[in-house]
Amino acid sequence: MTTRSLSHVLGVSQSLAGKAWLWRGRNMELGTGSAMGSQELDKSILTQLLMTRGVAPDEVAKHAKPTMREFLPDPAEFRDMERAAERIAHAVLNDEQITIYGDYDVDGATSSALLVDLLRSLGVDAGYYIPDRLLEGYGPSGEALVKLARDGSSLIVTVDCGAMAYEALTMARDEGVDVIVVDHHKCAAELPPTAALVNPNRLDESDLAASHGHLAAVGVAFLLAIALVRTLRAKGYFENRTEPDLMSLLDLVALGTVADVAALHGLNRAFVSQGLKILARRDRIGMAALIDASRLKRAPIASDLGFALGPRINAGGRIGESTLGVRLLTTNDPEEARAIAEQLSALNEERRAIEAEVQEAAEAQLEGQHNMAVQVLSADGWHPGVIGIVAGRIKEKTGKPSIVIALDPSDGTGKGSGRSISGVDLGAAIIAAREGGLLVAGGGHAMAAGLTIAQDKLSAFTEFLDERLARDVDKARLSQVMQLDLSLAPGGLTPDLVNTLEAAGPYGVGWPAPRVAVGPVRIVKADIVGKDHLRVIASGGDGQSFKAIAFRAAETEMAQTLIHRSKGRQFHFAGRVKIDDWGPRPAAELHLEDAAFAD
């Protein structure tokens, strides 16, 4: 391994995607003679990967293998945590009827399942309520809370929702039912009326608790589980009863954390790292069925949670029955689990088809918005269950924050979902728009937000976002570069390298997966496979060849260049290295993200 002071990786100042290739940290070029299996080289790569993700040199060992012991805070540091634990403990001791009210996405489903599972292990037959996305929308419904109270629930715990539900929680208070909110979305200075509101993103949080604002709701729910067990222990509840195994809940925490695109640093890395170990044991019947339905032949890795397991849970809430995810994750019946997992897989395929239609229609509107800082796209008839996914696709395509709104002509309103780019706080802008009277409802966090809007406010809302976020978007887009961790020849793309890079995981938002640069290479073959994926076979001067694939890239400048204008030219490639295990033996392939001329 060598280091150089070049300002650009492989001298690339402008790639086919218009990006400069820069080192994420210290230059790391691996020559063809490097012994990729050597412990010394593996340790050097691992150390470099951790340090370029913000780890201090004296904390490398701590972050290399993140454990709960090292990263778990005292739950009592969070405001209202002990109050929430006391109220739930009182309900447990007095055999009260408890209902968990969850959001309809993966974070909501896993948070709900976690608390239902915990309470059942404590001898409480807790119920759950998941609203219908289309009929009830996001957040607690006052009518639903009141009905739950009148049906006998004296305590309701909302998870992944409720932080801004003033009207609904006021209705619940007036009905006389206690509601505890467990959430992670942005809060306003004035909080809604609750028995307790546990949220690291409260504006009045302590510095330590606020430093955990990146937790998904399921992570906050896990901290509440710890606090509840501790409270019950102090009350002597476990003198003749076995304490629940809280670590067994980490499979749910890992799935919800990754699927909700929570930043994978600090405690979240420990949650996911340890949760993957629980997933590998296949102890949870519903999770094992979900893994099988996803056709995974090995223990799940972090990316599987976001791209295989999570979308199936989400499909129930998006276009099917909202309770399917919680039912799957809490059932003890293998046959029921298998049937629900198969149903979710079928719904996921249906969701993909609907998503493709909405995305095509949304992209057709982009031409008229090329000067806008935020893409706001809307139409009648779009399925509200896929607008968040489409917003993410549009964001990736344009490099701008994007909001996709499904309009309902029957009442003149629209349901919208937005996704942002790094450096642009979309959630804060949505809250400001709501407070300014431009939205019926709205909230979220920096990278994602949801809203309800009256159709006649669309133009004013779009102009508000453009004015508020234009400077932030321009600054963020100007700073967009391709950051790389390693540079190597084609012969260095091996399964051993993949294993070395994976050792610094799990990866996700805030803890990016390593990118490598490979080159120079010549194109042996380049074509389109599937609907719109670019496949390339490339060969280097070291005599080694490899496969690269760029997903959903058929219409990009990169794909057109590599297919039609590569004769006699050499290129550098950039992307992420993965294991291709479809062949007779595992091989490394490059998930291609960018390319540049090398001559």
Side-chain angles (χ1 to χ4, degrees), residues 338-381:
R338 183 194 60 76
I340 295 175
E342 289 182 357
Q343 184 179 358
L344 287 171
S345 287
L347 286 170
N348 193 46
E349 291 301 314
E350 182 181 346
R351 185 270 306 168
R352 288 180 177 178
I354 296 171
E355 173 196 327
E357 293 178 4
V358 175
Q359 183 173 341
E360 182 179 359
E363 288 183 357
Q365 296 183 19
L366 287 175
E367 187 174 347
Q369 295 198 12
H370 63 277
N371 290 324
M372 303 300 292
V374 180
Q375 310 287 356
V376 181
L377 311 167
S378 62
D380 295 343

Side-chain angles (χ1 to χ4, degrees), residues 118-138:
L118 173 66
L119 289 168
R120 287 177 178 174
S121 71
L122 294 171
V124 178
D125 188 18
Y128 57 83
Y129 184 92
I130 309 296
D132 185 283
R133 178 189 292 262
L134 300 182
L135 299 179
E136 299 176 82
Y138 170 77

